[in-house]
Structures are given as C-alpha cells and as structure tokens.
Amino acid sequence: SQQGEEDPQALSIQEGENATMNCSYKTSINNLQWYRQNSGRGLVHLILIRSNEREKHSGRLRVTLDTSKKSSSLLITASRAADTASYFCATDVYNNNDMRFGAGTRLTVKP
Amino acid sequence: DSGVTQTPKHLITATGQRVTLRCSPRSGDLSVYWYQQSLDQGLQFLIQYYNGEERAKGNILERFSAQQFPDLHSELNLSSLELGDSALYFCASSPPGGPSTDTQYFGPGTRLTVL
C-alpha cells in the first residue's frame, strides 16, 4: 500500500515560476526522500531529509518536513522546461525496511 | 546513468507464461529492491534483498519470486502471467549502511507487456 500522498496530482506552470508540491504520510518515518521520473524512465533521487531535520536545500530545490503534521513539501524555484517530470515522495517507514512511494505529482513547465 | 542495469528493456509475452527479469546493482551496493509501476497502482514496492538474504517484502504476489545471487545480481521471476501484470518493473540498489533505507538508485526498468 502507498504511504505518501502527493498533492496536487498535476501542476502546470510557466518557465521561471516556482513549483510547490506537497506530500503527506501516515506513519512515523526515519527519512523522507523526493524522486523525479521522466516519462517511462527510472526514478532519480533528488533529496533526502531525515526525521530530525526541518528544511534542506539543494540547488533550486528546497524541501521542508513537518513530522507533527506528517507532511513535506518540495519547492522548485525558477522552474525550467526541463523540470517537466513526475515527482514522488518516498518514506522510509520507522522499524520497517521498505520504502513507500506516493502516487506522484505530474509537473509541466511551459516554455 | 545510475549504474544499475536491467535486462531486458522490453518483454512481450502471453498470459500463463513465465518470465525472468534481471538486475545488476551498482558496484558496492548490497541491497536490491524490486518495484512494479502500473498506471492504476502507481509505484509498488515488491521485495528487498540485502547481501543475498530477503530483507523486506511488500505487495508481491505469490506468483512472483525473486532471489539475489552471490555476485549480488538479482532476478525477479513472474509466473502464470496475467494481463494485469503488464507494467514497468524497476530494480533499485542502495549502498550498505545503517538500519534505515538510504538513497536508492534506480535502473531504467523493464517494460513487460502481457498479451
């Protein structure tokens, strides 16, 4: 079963705008990760945030984690057409060894 | 290129048949994970192996089985195939580490079509 749920399911923006995607999960976690998938390709790891961290940056990416609300957000600043992809959050469930992926947010960045 | 390889890239077969998907993890990675991605079910974790031993099991059907060999490559066997098994099957690997799962590196996937 899926642990994370991304919101929105689809997002369409213009190049240069910021894109924000949210992820909610249900159980305690060790860490939360965001992945990107171009159509029909493998997932690519973007960023990992541990349960004791609240915010993390990597280039144009900013991730926040609120463990009290069991939610995370991924912000992509100054988006580019090449950012068009599906974005998934994945949770490493506490006391478990598997990783649960959400259904993903489909981001379209128009040039 | 993640360093994880999967073969074959595409597989077309008939219902009732059996197929084997192969995965080679990144050099040095001990964990291998298998996922199924379909339009209606999203990305589903199937099973994880760590250094040859099964470590975690997800939504894997009894018709499916997997193993990890001493050279750390892994195979996913799918038998008595049904139309609904048509999906992308991904393998991922992760480096040895602590008790929690760290970054996973995904292969390009095998697209299985069951006719």
Side-chain angles (χ1 to χ4, degrees):
Chain A
S1 61
Q2 291 175 333
Q3 154 86 318
E5 291 185 9
E6 286 91 344
D7 165 52
Q9 287 187 334
L11 181 60
S12 181
I13 59 175
Q14 292 294 133
E15 213 166 23
E17 295 180 339
N18 295 342
T20 300
M21 289 160 269
N22 303 297
C23 168
S24 60
Y25 57 92
K26 296 171 185 167
T27 61
S28 296
I29 60 173
N30 292 311
N31 64 60
L32 185 144
Q33 304 180 44
W34 285 90
Y35 286 79
R36 164 200 167 119
Q37 183 183 34
N38 286 73
S39 181
R41 311 281 290 272
L43 280 74
V44 175
H45 178 258
L46 295 176
I47 197 165
L48 179 153
I49 186 165
R50 300 204 181 275
S51 59
N52 61 352
E53 297 175 310
R54 291 297 165 256
E55 188 170 313
K56 206 159 182 181
H57 297 255
S58 176
R60 293 184 296 111
L61 305 180
R62 173 179 167 251
V63 168
T64 61
L65 179 64
D66 187 336
T67 53
S68 66
K69 294 181 180 177
K70 292 188 169 58
S71 67
S72 172
S73 68
L74 170 67
L75 167 68
I76 304 174
T77 60
S79 62
R80 305 166 182 166
D83 294 328
T84 294
S86 291
Y87 292 82
F88 295 86
C89 70
T91 50
D92 174 18
V93 179
Y94 183 71
N95 273 346
N96 208 340
N97 280 318
D98 63 274
M99 202 151 72
R100 309 282 176 86
F101 284 81
T105 292
R106 174 74 191 161
L107 173 66
T108 301
V109 181
K110 299 175 185 175
Chain B
D1 184 1
S2 67
V4 177
T5 60
Q6 287 187 250
T7 56
K9 281 188 178 177
H10 301 278
L11 199 47
I12 301 174
T13 188
T15 55
Q17 295 298 305
R18 172 190 168 97
V19 297
T20 297
L21 313 183
R22 183 187 168 104
C23 167
S24 292
R26 296 186 329 152
S27 177
D29 287 359
L30 299 181
S31 281
V32 169
Y33 309 79
W34 285 98
Y35 293 87
Q36 179 193 60
Q37 187 177 36
S38 60
L39 282 174
D40 56 342
Q41 294 288 318
L43 194 65
Q44 299 285 326
F45 166 72
L46 296 178
I47 197 164
Q48 178 203 358
Y49 280 83
Y50 180 86
N51 203 20
E53 300 288 327
E54 181 183 305
R55 174 164 273 195
K57 224 168 184 175
N59 298 323
I60 188 165
L61 300 172
E62 285 194 12
R63 299 184 286 111
F64 297 179
S65 66
Q67 52 184 329
Q68 186 179 28
F69 295 87
D71 67 352
L72 301 177
H73 92 270
S74 177
E75 291 181 357
L76 178 67
N77 300 295
L78 314 176
S79 61
S80 302
L81 285 168
E82 302 175 358
L83 295 177
D85 297 328
S86 295
L88 267 170
Y89 290 85
F90 289 105
C91 162
S93 71
S94 65
S100 67
T101 308
D102 283 319
T103 302
Q104 293 187 12
Y105 297 87
F106 280 75
T110 292
R111 182 173 292 280
L112 173 67
T113 302
V114 182
L115 300 175

